[in-house]
Amino acid sequence: MEPHEKIIKSLKNKVDEKEIVEALLPEENEGTDLRKIGDSKDLDCDGKNELFDGIYEDSKEEVIIDIRLTDHILDEKELEELVPFWRALTETYNKPVSPVFIVRPK
């Protein structure tokens, strides 16, 4: 398990997951309120977000936010592995997905 994964999992024992996700949003999305609309475990697909259990939409209910923490910029193959999850989200909730990647180099 990567250090950032350990930190997030530890935080989830003390802080609501939604607050963690909101804190990780990029600066241009600062102040955005999120609303939990489901759980990843309820979707039968590959590419699920293993770090966050909840599925969140922005307060304007326009897009689903999918935050991923990684230690490198994902290549095309790695991004393609996430597509089934994003497709399932779009089909289930009838909203586009806005992936947010936070790259924390080792």
Side-chain angles (χ1 to χ4, degrees), residues 90-102:
T90 298
E91 291 171 358
T92 301
Y93 298 103
N94 199 29
K95 295 180 189 322
V97 176
S98 179
V100 176
F101 293 96
I102 299 173

Side-chain angles (χ1 to χ4, degrees), residues 20-33:
I20 297 168
V21 173
E22 286 175 340
L24 290 173
L25 285 174
E27 196 173 288
E28 62 267 14
N29 297 93
E30 198 170 295
T32 298
D33 289 323

Side-chain angles (χ1 to χ4, degrees), residues 30-49:
E30 198 170 295
T32 298
D33 289 323
L34 298 180
R35 184 170 75 93
K36 185 175 178 179
I37 58 173
D39 289 297
S40 294
K41 66 179 182 191
D42 296 333
L43 297 175
D44 184 24
C45 62
D46 292 329
K48 291 182 185 179
N49 191 328

Side-chain angles (χ1 to χ4, degrees), residues 1 6 8 16 21 27 38 45 48 52 55 59-60 63 65-67 70 73 76 84-88 90 99 104:
M1 183 181 302
K6 289 179 185 176
I8 297 296
D16 182 57
V21 173
E27 196 173 288
C45 62
K48 291 182 185 179
F52 297 107
I55 297 169
S59 57
K60 297 174 188 162
V63 296
I65 306 291
D66 181 35
I67 292 187
T70 179
I73 296 173
E76 185 176 344
F85 180 61
W86 295 335
R87 186 175 294 126
T90 298
R104 307 285 302 179

Side-chain angles (χ1 to χ4, degrees), residues 13 27 61:
N13 291 329
E27 196 173 288
E61 301 179 15

